[in-house]
């Protein structure tokens, strides 16, 4: 097999057009010298190596000791004729080096893409897991202290005016429900035309009066407060808040700076009003509400009634409730659970007390409409 190349004899810088004949063990080079006479040189394949530098568009082979002889092949000719001929021989080493040289840029791009994908995977999946781990390391007492600061921060930043009368009656109602919880529930009713309610880590629950005004029976209020209490008890609110500032929060925790972690969370307190919970967490909170109401002798149908007062899908504003799973799905799941739950008998005194407190709350609601 023969192929065209350019030959340098190693003594003069002249380039000689040459005919290259490829045999199993040797490469024969035929060219015309400066005096016009034909010459033939023979290279042993085992002593032929890739040169350290290549002219543009060429593949350069070198032979022997200094001063080296050189052959310049068009790179396409080299890959088509020379490499296949000597597959598995010493020139195979050359081919690997050539491939790295020619494909190096693509290799760098591929490695970069893989690193970016890995970084994105860590950001999407790793950081949330680390953020949840960070929450586990926060003691409940510390969470309560954080909750107090977050509560004051969000009320101030969002300029939510507190309704003192309804706040007093709703807290009295929740105490009468008597649901045992790890964190003491503290409810605040605020004046706002948005239909919303949200839980703050450590025990605070904020209810917008526009949502309260939609309710017609006390079981709806009990269901709402039990649902938000579940987010606190299961630390959903703290998990979501920590995830939203995961990069800063995790770094603070990794360096043992719990104070720094708290500062980051406080700086992002405003996001509590619109935290988005996953379907699993919302389902968990609804299940908690059904079981809690039944255990306290309150009709768990209140969960269904509460869901009915929420805006229908597609009509929700930018509130926390707008990010919940579709109401129809939650209604179906709650209805199914109620069919299998056992409702405990409540004392007549408790039932009367809850009804009286609801009348006070409903009366305050009616006053607000006039």
């Amino acid at each position: 097999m023969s192929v065209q190349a350019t030959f340098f004899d190693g003594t003069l810088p002249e380039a000689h057009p040459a005919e290259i004949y490829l045999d199993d063990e040797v490469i024969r080079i035929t060219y015309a010298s400066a005096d016009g006479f034909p010459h033939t040189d023979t290279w042993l394949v085992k002593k032929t190596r890739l040169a350290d530098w290549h002219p543009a568009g060429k593949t350069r082979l070198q032979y022997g000791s200094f001063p080296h002889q050189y052959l310049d092949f068009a790179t396409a000719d080299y890959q088509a004729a020379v490499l296949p001929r000597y597959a598995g021989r010493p020139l195979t080493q050359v081919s690997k080096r050539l491939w790295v040289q020619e494909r190096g840029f693509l290799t760098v791009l591929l490695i970069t893409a893989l690193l970016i994908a890995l970084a994105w995977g860590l950001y999407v999946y790793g950081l949330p897991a680390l953020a949840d781990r960070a929450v586990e390391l926060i003691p409940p007492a510390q969470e309560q202290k954080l909750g107090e600061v977050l509560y004051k921060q969000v009320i101030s930043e969002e300029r939510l005016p507190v309704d003192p009368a309804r706040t007093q009656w709703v807290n009295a109602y929740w105490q009468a429900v008597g649901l045992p919880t790890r964190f003491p529930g503290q409810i605040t009713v605020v004046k706002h035309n948005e239909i919303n309610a949200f839980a703050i880590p450590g025990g605070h629950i904020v209810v917008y009066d526009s949502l309260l005004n939609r309710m017609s029976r006390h079981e709806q209020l009990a269901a709402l407060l039990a649902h938000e209490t579940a987010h606190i008890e299961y630390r959903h609110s703290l998990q979501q808040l920590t995830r939203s500032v995961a990069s800063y929060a995790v770094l603070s925790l990794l360096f043992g700076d719990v104070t720094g972690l708290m500062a980051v969370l406080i700086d992002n307190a405003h996001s509590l009003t619109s935290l988005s919970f996953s379907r699993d967490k919302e389902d968990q909170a609804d299940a908690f509400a059904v079981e809690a109401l039944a255990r306290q002798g309150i009709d768990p149908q209140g969960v269904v009634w509460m869901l009915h007062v929420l805006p229908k899908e597609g009509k929700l504003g930018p509130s926390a409730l707008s990010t919940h799973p579709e109401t129809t799905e939650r209604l179906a799941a709650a209805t199914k659970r109620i069919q299998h739950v056992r409702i405990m008998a409540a004392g007549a005194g408790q039932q009367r007390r809850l009804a009286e407190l609801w009348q006070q709350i409903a009366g305050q609601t009616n006053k607000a409409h006039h």
Side-chain angles (χ1 to χ4, degrees):
M1 175 183 289
S2 66
V3 65
Q4 300 298 315
T6 302
F7 175 65
F8 297 87
D9 64 11
T11 57
L12 296 174
E14 295 182 38
H16 304 284
E19 186 83 10
I20 310 302
Y21 297 89
L22 307 175
D23 289 331
D24 290 342
E25 301 295 337
V26 297
I27 298 174
R28 289 187 174 85
I29 306 160
T30 300
Y31 65 97
S33 63
D35 56 13
F37 290 99
H39 287 268
T40 299
D41 277 19
T42 302
W43 289 7
L44 296 176
V45 171
K46 65 182 180 180
K47 293 186 177 181
T48 303
R49 292 290 181 268
L50 189 69
D52 294 329
W53 176 83
H54 305 272
K58 304 286 186 179
T59 297
R60 172 167 286 183
L61 299 183
Q62 72 178 38
Y63 180 75
S65 58
F66 185 84
H68 304 296
Q69 293 182 333
Y70 298 99
L71 278 175
D72 285 353
F73 295 86
T75 296
D77 290 343
Y78 174 80
Q79 292 178 329
V82 180
L83 287 184
R85 178 80 182 187
Y86 299 110
R89 307 292 294 283
L91 283 178
T92 305
Q93 303 297 323
V94 175
S95 69
K96 290 180 180 179
R97 291 171 60 189
L98 179 64
W99 187 91
V100 171
Q101 188 174 40
E102 292 181 340
R103 305 295 182 179
F105 180 68
L106 292 178
T107 302
V108 170
L109 284 181
L110 178 60
I111 293 173
T112 302
L114 290 174
L115 289 175
I116 291 174
L118 178 61
W120 176 250
L122 288 174
Y123 180 79
V124 173
Y125 300 105
L127 275 181
L130 287 173
D132 289 349
R133 176 58 180 160
V135 169
E136 295 175 7
L137 298 177
I138 299 176
Q142 190 74 22
E143 184 175 344
Q144 280 186 256
K145 292 179 181 178
L146 171 64
E148 290 296 329
V149 178
L150 290 174
Y151 168 76
K152 294 175 182 177
Q153 191 85 354
V154 73
I155 292 294
S156 172
E157 284 189 10
E158 299 297 316
R159 298 181 181 179
L160 299 174
V162 177
D163 184 329
R166 272 183 279 193
T167 293
Q168 178 183 350
W169 289 115
V170 171
N171 273 286
Y173 175 86
W174 188 235
Q175 290 173 10
V177 170
L179 183 68
T181 57
R182 175 172 44 167
F183 298 97
Q186 301 177 66
I187 299 94
T188 301
V189 179
V190 297
K191 300 175 182 179
H192 202 287
N193 57 10
E194 187 177 330
I195 299 171
N196 197 7
F198 60 90
I200 296 176
H204 279 283
I205 297 171
V206 177
V207 179
Y208 289 32
D209 64 351
S210 293
L211 177 57
L212 195 60
N213 294 343
R214 282 175 166 246
M215 298 179 181
S216 58
R217 49 200 310 160
H218 78 89
E219 293 90 348
Q220 292 168 311
L221 176 58
L224 173 68
L225 297 179
H227 178 95
E228 297 301 331
T229 296
H231 286 317
I232 297 171
E233 290 294 300
Y234 294 131
R235 302 180 120 179
H236 293 164
S237 299
L238 187 57
Q239 288 173 1
Q240 291 301 98
L241 180 59
T242 306
R243 283 187 177 200
S244 68
V245 291
S247 56
Y248 299 103
V250 170
L251 284 175
S252 296
L253 194 76
L254 289 176
F255 287 101
D257 183 11
V258 177
T259 303
L261 173 58
M262 298 305 173
V264 171
L265 297 179
I266 291 168
D267 286 342
N268 290 268
H270 59 87
S271 63
L272 281 165
T273 63
S274 57
L275 282 182
S276 173
F277 295 112
S278 67
R279 289 181 180 272
D280 288 342
K281 286 182 170 55
E282 286 299 340
D283 188 63
Q284 191 177 22
D286 284 343
F288 179 94
V290 168
E291 294 171 4
L293 265 60
R295 190 165 58 249
Q296 299 308 115
I298 301 171
D299 191 345
Q301 193 70 26
V303 175
V304 172
W305 297 330
M306 183 268 293
L307 291 173
H308 275 299
V309 303
L310 300 182
K312 302 302 180 184
E313 292 84 351
K315 298 182 180 180
L316 294 168
S319 67
L321 293 174
S322 71
T323 56
H324 290 186
E326 290 190 357
T327 307
T328 52
E329 294 180 8
R330 297 175 64 190
L331 279 168
T335 300
K336 185 176 181 179
R337 286 193 180 95
I338 291 169
Q339 295 172 354
H340 299 91
V341 75
R342 179 184 177 187
I343 304 174
M344 304 298 292
Q350 182 194 26
Q351 294 282 20
R352 185 167 54 252
R353 176 61 174 162
L354 292 176
E356 291 172 353
L357 290 169
W358 174 248
Q359 289 302 316
Q360 292 291 340
I361 296 168
Q364 295 293 327
T365 299
N366 291 333
K367 289 178 184 178
H369 287 310
H370 294 293

